[in-house]
Amino acid sequence: MSTSLRLLTLFAIQFLIFGMGVSSAEIPPGDQLNVSVTSGTTPVEMTFHFCPSGEVQRGKPQPLPEPTGNPVIDKLKRGALLGFMRGFYMAKTEVSHAQYAAVMSEEAVNTVHNRLVSGESEGLTADYPIRGVTLEEAAEFCRTLQRVQAEQSGNTATIEARKYRLPTHDEWQYACRGVATADEVAEVPHFNSWPELSQMPKDILSDCQDTWTQQLRKTTEFVGTQEECLEVMLNQENPARGVEIFSKFLQAGIGGQRDYATTLTSPRPVGASLPNRWQLQDFHGNVFEWTLVIRNQDEFSAMWDSYLQRGR
């Protein structure tokens, strides 16, 4: 089994839609939109939440450049780190097996399952994320969902012209952090919230405090910030214990069970993690997700619109 194929078996879908006929200024952050898809006689619901317009800081959160007084230089420096986001609706969770089957058919789900390697049978029931899809299959899912929605509405135009597609990498980062103002990104975790000390196991907290006061000889109180926990982790005599400590803080912040000391973690049902500020879940600690990397928004929009016309 090659590395690339192994990664492929973990990919899932999380996609977004645009509300083209509604002013995003009128929609509150996290606004919920429910979409029903009927498979036979069984309706399957998909939930989306609104991500407002704002700025995304690309890559690792960091303080933005201080103004130099030269507006041209300032714009270039800031622009290199930032991207502007128009408001959009993002799927609340990764796409589940039930949702994938409702749109694509049970046979399509079996095709994906048959591709998984031996021993990866765990997490293949209705409420788990569909994994093992190719990028083409993920795009086909979006296109089919759009066609099914149009057919169910009798092809009647509505106030929202919904366009389903995979998110770009910038959109994924933006929705993951749930922060619309780029200057605030470096001040908060890029997921949910950092946990309080009261949420941590006593043995973890004791090791942190001992390392802080005895080994690092800090005179300030250990309050458990990300920076303090990272410093404690890097100064453990046993590196495995350091990773375990940091994992516990990450698990409490995300609300998941992923052990960051190993990559051999079984998938979990969709919606198992804590929601972020915009009520979105599952960005960390479950399975990888497909995103698109683009350099020109206009070319990307034209390409995707052309793709949606295929097969009509």
Side-chain angles (χ1 to χ4, degrees):
M1 179 64 70
S2 67
T3 301
S4 59
L5 189 56
R6 170 62 183 164
L7 289 175
L8 179 64
T9 65
L10 295 176
F11 279 103
I13 308 171
Q14 186 154 11
F15 60 98
L16 56 86
I17 64 174
F18 283 96
M20 302 300 289
V22 180
S23 170
S24 61
E26 301 172 2
I27 306 175
D31 179 67
Q32 181 169 316
L33 176 66
N34 296 322
V35 173
S36 292
V37 180
T38 300
S39 175
T41 58
T42 305
V44 174
E45 190 168 272
M46 306 184 74
T47 301
F48 296 80
H49 289 285
F50 188 67
C51 303
S53 298
E55 290 179 319
V56 60
Q57 185 177 157
R58 298 187 174 105
K60 182 180 179 180
Q62 56 187 301
L64 294 170
E66 292 291 335
T68 64
N70 185 319
V72 176
I73 293 178
D74 290 344
K75 184 175 181 179
L76 289 173
K77 285 185 174 181
R78 190 176 178 87
L81 294 174
L82 301 179
F84 177 74
M85 295 288 103
R86 294 179 297 171
F88 57 85
Y89 281 92
M90 173 74 85
K92 181 180 179 69
T93 67
E94 296 147 339
V95 174
S96 70
H97 284 84
Q99 293 167 343
Y100 193 82
V103 175
M104 301 299 293
S105 77
E106 290 288 349
E107 290 75 16
V109 172
N110 291 334
T111 297
V112 175
H113 287 179
N114 291 336
R115 190 184 301 134
L116 298 179
V117 298
S118 175
E120 287 197 341
S121 59
E122 188 173 359
L124 301 183
T125 53
D127 57 343
Y128 278 76
I130 185 73
R131 57 197 175 97
V133 294
T134 65
L135 180 59
E136 180 71 16
E137 287 169 335
E140 183 66 24
F141 176 89
C142 298
R143 184 174 66 183
T144 303
L145 177 60
Q146 185 152 321
R147 176 180 58 78
V148 170
Q149 283 283 286
E151 291 173 352
Q152 289 184 1
S153 65
N155 293 300
T156 303
T158 64
I159 192 172
E160 291 175 346
R162 297 175 181 170
K163 294 185 177 182
Y164 299 89
R165 63 168 172 81
L166 297 174
T168 67
H169 188 65
D170 280 356
E171 288 164 341
W172 189 97
Q173 281 197 348
Y174 182 67
C176 172
R177 292 170 180 161
V179 178
T181 305
D183 298 273
E184 298 178 6
V185 169
E187 301 174 5
V188 296
H190 60 284
F191 56 85
N192 304 316
S193 60
W194 195 248
E196 300 291 335
L197 292 184
S198 59
Q199 298 177 249
M200 305 311 301
K202 291 183 178 179
D203 65 316
I204 295 291
L205 186 56
S206 177
D207 277 2
C208 288
Q209 292 170 333
D210 289 347
T211 302
W212 188 254
T213 57
Q214 298 176 21
Q215 185 173 333
L216 296 175
R217 299 185 181 281
K218 300 286 188 178
T219 57
T220 57
E221 180 184 2
F222 177 80
V223 296
T225 65
Q226 289 182 87
E227 293 76 15
E228 289 178 352
C229 291
L230 183 60
E231 191 172 358
V232 166
M233 180 189 78
L234 295 175
N235 283 277
Q236 292 296 307
E237 293 183 5
N238 181 354
R241 179 56 171 170
V243 174
E244 181 183 2
I245 289 172
F246 207 67
S247 286
K248 293 298 183 182
F249 277 90
L250 289 172
Q251 289 169 357
I254 296 170
Q257 296 299 316
R258 175 182 173 185
D259 181 359
Y260 288 80
T262 177
T263 58
L264 302 177
T265 304
S266 300
R268 304 181 68 203
V270 299
S273 66
L274 295 172
N276 68 8
R277 295 181 181 184
W278 297 338
Q279 303 307 306
L280 300 170
Q281 298 172 270
D282 292 348
F283 284 99
H284 293 282
N286 205 4
V287 294
F288 292 106
E289 299 165 16
W290 282 113
T291 63
L292 303 173
V293 178
I294 63 170
R295 296 182 179 179
N296 184 295
Q297 182 66 49
D298 293 333
E299 289 181 4
F300 169 72
S301 298
M303 175 197 73
W304 193 268
D305 287 345
S306 174
Y307 182 83
L308 289 175
Q309 295 297 323
R310 289 169 51 187
R312 288 189 175 183

